[in-house]
Amino acid sequence: MSEPRKRVVLVDDHQMFRTGVKAELGGAVEIVGEAGDVDEAVAVIRATTPDVVLLDVHLPGGGGIEVLRRLHGNVPSRFLALSVSDAEEDVIGVVRGGARGYVTKTISGPELVDAIDRVAEGDAVFSPRLAGFVLTAFAATSAPAVDPELDQITQREQEVLRLIARGYAYKEIAKELYISVKTVETHVSSVLRKLQLSNRHELSRWAAARRLV
């Protein structure tokens, strides 16, 4: 028994292009809705909850990113950008917005069917040149390096430390954090000991160097 066809909503502001895409896809997928701007897209996607949304990047009403902003995480559908643009900022923008892939309009019909199937199953799909944009962008925003000194300071101690670095007096810190002055003193002593520092001025410099302020 063959698998059911993937249900697809096609979002593009050019009617002729949508007609062409439907012809290229043939009967390989089920087109359950179309839209030509952001508001139409949001409405039809909510109404049909397709498996995959083929989403143009540049749309009246805020573009594909606005569609993603309003719907990503609120519907079970997955989003595949299909655009004439191969600009890096467009690719990164929609991926950060929640799209599972990005292909250009030079893609063939069979390749697009394959991309739809793969995105529906949870894969990420990109035209070859565009994948490099994504890898570079996310490598540049990878997790920060571990700071052993910072890791040994508790969350509450970090809160006290931030206020120390901003010039707050102990009494002001106590009021800000709803704790006693004695507790503030205890936290400061603990941080000084852990970091092997001598006074609050050294603490302030340490915090500023790590941008905790």
Side-chain angles (χ1 to χ4, degrees), residues 62-82:
I65 290 177
E66 177 63 13
V67 176
L68 288 162
R69 187 189 70 78
R70 288 163 64 175
L71 288 178
H72 180 56
N74 298 314
V75 292
S77 308
R78 293 189 167 103
F79 294 82
L80 173 61
L82 174 63

Side-chain angles (χ1 to χ4, degrees), residues 132-144:
F133 294 156
V134 179
L135 290 172
T136 301
F138 283 88
T141 57
S142 58

Side-chain angles (χ1 to χ4, degrees), residues 72-152:
H72 180 56
N74 298 314
V75 292
S77 308
R78 293 189 167 103
F79 294 82
L80 173 61
L82 174 63
S83 177
V84 69
S85 170
D86 61 359
E88 181 174 357
E89 60 269 22
D90 287 336
V91 179
I92 301 307
V94 295
V95 172
R96 290 197 190 282
R100 293 292 302 174
Y102 193 118
V103 294
T104 61
K105 290 180 177 179
T106 57
I107 194 171
S108 69
E111 288 171 335
L112 184 55
V113 171
D114 180 64
I116 290 169
D117 286 339
R118 288 168 59 195
V119 166
E121 298 304 320
D123 289 347
V125 180
F126 297 91
S127 295
R129 192 173 81 85
L130 308 185
F133 294 156
V134 179
L135 290 172
T136 301
F138 283 88
T141 57
S142 58
V146 174
D147 186 331
E149 288 187 319
L150 186 57
D151 285 348
Q152 65 181 319

